[in-house]
Amino acid sequence: MAFDWFWKAMGTSPHKNQKKSMAVVAQAGADRYREATEEELRKAAAQSVVRQQFEDGSLIREGKVLDESKLLGVVREVARRTLGLSPFDVQMQGTLRLLAGDVVEMGTGEGKTLAGAMAAVGYALQGKRVHVITVNSYLATRDDEWMGPMFDFFGISHGAISEELTSDERRDIYSRDVIFGAINELGFDVLRDQLITKRADQVRSEADVAVIDEADSVMVDEALVPLVLAGSEPGNAPLGHITELVKSMVEQQHFLISEDQRNVFLTDAGAAFAERKLGIESLYGTADEGRSGSAAEQSRSEKKDDAGESEVASEKEDTETEEDQAGSGDLLVQINVALHAEHLLQRDVHYIVRDGKVLLIDGSRGRVADLQRWPDGLQSAVEAKEGLQVTDGGRILDQLTIQALIGMYPEVCGMTGTAMAAGDQLRQFYDLKVSVIQPNVPVQRFDEQDAVFASIEDRNEAVVKHIVEIQKTGQPQLVGTQDVAESEYIARELKKVGVECAVLNAKNHEAEAGVISEAGRPRRVTVSTQMAGRGTDIKLGGTEEDERDAVVEAGGLHVVGVGRFRSQRLDNQLRGRAGRQGDPGSSVFFVSIEDDVVAVGGAGEELQAQPDDEGRLTQKKVLNFVDHCQRVTEGQMLDIHATTWKYNKLIKDQRDIINGRRDDLLDTSTAWDDLSYHNVDKANELKAAGIPEETLEQAAREIMLFHLDYEWSEHLAYLDDIRESIHLRAIARESPIDEFHRMSIAAFGDLADRAVRKARETFDDARITADGVDLGELGLHKPSATWTYMVNDNPLNSGGGSAMGSIAQLFR
Ligand code: ADP
């Protein structure tokens, strides 16, 4: 094969794997178990695997598949009997590669749900607990119900995690064999479990395997999105007068916006202007000292501690600045946040306003992300910009990136329509290989060459004309745009020329599933932002396929891409909606050289080409240029991912250390041992008062854990500060990420000691009774409410994905 070197470089050879798995599947035979009794099927299933075994908590026998073709043959027959679906050979191949721990590429409509569920059966039979990870809870519940009968047959317990469940219900479901859940829900439970003070309160049970649906969206596009657990506390939002100040600033003179529209910088003149308006001496003064070393860290952690008997002078000073509401360091952050909100975030592109609230648009799915907020200051700044009631901020208690969450599973596999193009990232960040599974029926889609235009206006005009023309043929059309504003624009323009269309976007997601399932009817036009994770396929002629013949006759579903996405993989996700299971279909992309991908990817490069009367550029070199720009953008994203990964890795390593400490405190009497040794008199008094040992141990545990958790959340806030300060100083440094490492390691160094020291002080002061300890009495309040959200920290990248990208870019 001409591309063998390529596959080798990717760490995989699809041809080799394919041949092998085809042989196994052939052996599994469609009829091999057709006559078998239920008893025989269960017995054969048990014989085909080795169950993993533990003794005293340590693994003494590993689970594995002994006889692949036997296992597959049984599962195929059981799927047929219980689900009424006879798995295709290609689905069986998919299952096999999933059991080998690969990410499999299977097209839209090839039946990935069934292939994944069969793999879950294979893993569960080995005695492993499996999480089948979906992109949203709706799909988790749907798939659990749909695939349930197959699990029931084998006596494999299963269930789905969704938002509305109580902790007790969740705990029960987590203890089962196969658990379906949305990635963010699973992550939030990890975060909440990291706050428990009694082992019995833990909700999750450890899982052995993750089977990830839409693996590239989850593991690549959303890998760096942090899931956040926050507790209520007034935020550090820009005050009203800061918003006013920023509104009066002038671009170029007071601030600059970077070419890629990701960053905004205050100029010297801007800083002077702000200082004058606010009547302060310097925006930078204390910020520099306050943020550059462990002194700041100290003051941060001491500032809420009013016990402070022997604070040194500098710490006192800091506390005072804090009190007069706006330390200058904070002002600088607030101004930057307000500038960011004012100039880089656009209504209807990055967020919408509904019911007096700012709702984020999840860039990669083009719909409202209910659980997402920007980091507190930014969210409030946007609220202020829109003249809305500014909500209270919160205190970040803990956070976890999706990448780190995936890293917690000993075994990972997954499926997606577009894995190959994510091969680099999957290998580099997860050490996963990709297996390409051929389609069940060869793809018949016709992909037209891109139509490239000189300007966005010309492009849009051509898109509308094109849709009108195609509609005459009777083909249904799916129009994919880059963002919600663009969807609405296209819809308006279509309406003007008499074309009705359904718009799938953040504003009407309730109706979405229904709209999609009917999008394949003749002449239908459906406009949508990216389709990844929408999770329903478009059947020709409607859900019941009653108008199928007419649509097939017309040429099947036609996909129109408005602008190329920032990676070819995303383009293909959209294209892949047409031509499922060998259906006829076609696709074309309309591009302009003013599009983001071209502008960012081709920055600084001159393109000499003459447009025709309709603004179209037909030269071959133009097409090449667009491809080139997209490859540059892909490269940039990979770099950002790699750099941000380094940054997150450090936090993860530190978190692991804290978790180890937490486990020790939860499961042993370490806390009581330490505190009673520290204050022997008090310990004896308490014992003499007849308080049961158990109560004392639990009180000590709660004291220790309170301070450990508090210090950790302070540490996270400090890390944010360093990131911000490195970011704000426009990066004159050689290697900001090294600097970040140095500072964060230094600050982490004495975290545990400080937590213990404070716990001892608390123990000295605390009133402990037979009811335990009331930390609230001492002003040590646990957050009154906690909530979870996903941070879309890189809102400037309308393609979604890489959170913290804007910061990471500066790290490069
Ligand atoms: P994907 O996620 O790969 O796009 P789904 O898992 O949603 O696909 O399945 C798409 C459709 O194909 C579903 O309607 C499902 O019922 C159907 N399907 C899957 N496997 C089979 C099969 N072996 N035989 C018949 N229909 C199948």
Side-chain angles (χ1 to χ4, degrees), residues 79-379:
R80 197 184 64 81
R81 290 189 195 179
T82 56
L83 306 176
L85 295 172
S86 275
F88 304 122
D89 281 1
V90 290
Q91 284 174 306
M92 311 268 284
Q93 284 166 22
T95 301
L96 202 55
R97 297 315 305 163
L98 288 169
L99 285 167
D102 282 358
V103 173
V104 301
E105 175 172 298
M106 295 172 71
T108 309
E110 291 289 310
K112 289 186 281 292
T113 314
L114 177 57
M118 290 194 294
V121 168
Y123 280 119
L125 288 172
Q126 299 168 46
K128 295 175 181 171
R129 179 173 292 124
V130 186
H131 285 181
V132 182
I133 301 182
T134 58
V135 288
N136 60 47
S137 297
Y138 161 74
L139 291 175
T141 307
R142 185 200 73 173
D143 293 353
D144 175 50
E145 281 171 15
W146 184 16
M147 296 291 139
M150 179 167 63
F151 296 115
D152 293 338
F153 180 94
F154 292 105
I156 295 170
S157 57
H158 60 96
I161 297 291
S162 61
E163 287 94 64
E164 66 276 2
L165 299 180
T166 64
S167 305
D168 287 340
E169 289 165 331
R170 279 166 191 259
R171 188 173 305 114
D172 170 39
I173 289 172
Y174 274 115
S175 70
R176 300 181 190 176
D177 302 321
V178 175
I179 297 101
F180 288 81
I183 183 80
N184 53 350
E185 282 301 307
L186 298 176
F188 292 148
D189 282 332
V190 170
L191 288 172
R192 285 187 285 250
D193 271 354
Q194 283 173 179
L195 274 190
I196 54 169
T197 54
K198 288 192 194 95
R199 190 51 94 186
D201 291 340
Q202 182 171 325
V203 160
R204 290 174 77 257
S205 304
E206 291 303 315
D208 302 291
V209 188
V211 179
I212 305 173
D213 195 9
E214 305 275 7
D216 58 339
S217 293
V218 172
M219 292 200 269
V220 177
D221 299 331
E222 305 207 335
L224 303 172
V225 174
L227 302 171
V228 176
L229 181 69
S232 47
E233 195 174 80
N236 189 29
L239 305 168
H241 66 287
I242 301 280
T243 305
E244 288 308 308
L245 166 76
V246 162
K247 279 189 199 284
S248 64
M249 288 184 164
V250 181
E251 188 174 346
Q252 296 299 335
Q253 188 188 344
H254 297 131
F255 63 92
L256 301 172
I257 293 178
S258 67
E259 188 163 348
D260 61 8
Q261 296 281 313
R262 284 173 193 241
N263 293 294
V264 52
F265 301 101
L266 209 54
T267 60
D268 287 345
F273 176 76
E275 284 156 1
R276 205 167 55 243
K277 286 270 179 182
L278 297 171
I280 58 167
E281 208 150 292
S282 165
L283 274 178
Y284 295 89
T286 52
D288 268 8
E289 289 150 27
R291 285 164 190 276
S292 59
S294 59
E297 212 280 331
Q298 280 286 337
S299 70
R300 201 174 224 300
S301 54
E302 307 278 84
K303 79 190 174 205
K304 299 251 159 37
D305 188 348
D306 28 25
E309 336 95 283
S310 62
E311 287 180 302
V312 292
S314 73
E315 286 171 1
K316 271 225 178 83
E317 241 168 55
D318 239 289
T319 318
E320 273 158 24
T321 339
E322 194 59 42
E323 271 161 11
D324 58 47
Q325 267 280 313
S328 0
D330 290 339
L331 277 178
L332 183 56
V333 173
Q334 288 181 17
I335 290 173
N336 272 279
V337 164
L339 276 171
H340 191 119
E342 188 67 31
H343 298 288
L344 300 185
L345 295 180
Q346 289 172 34
R347 186 167 170 165
D348 287 338
V349 174
H350 302 111
Y351 63 93
I352 59 172
V353 174
R354 186 163 70 195
D355 304 334
K357 288 194 196 107
V358 169
L359 301 176
L360 263 70
I361 291 170
D362 175 339
S364 67
R365 301 202 194 114
R367 53 173 150 189
V368 167
D370 284 332
L371 291 169
Q372 293 196 3
R373 282 170 66 89
W374 281 305
D376 292 299
L378 190 54
Q379 183 86 14

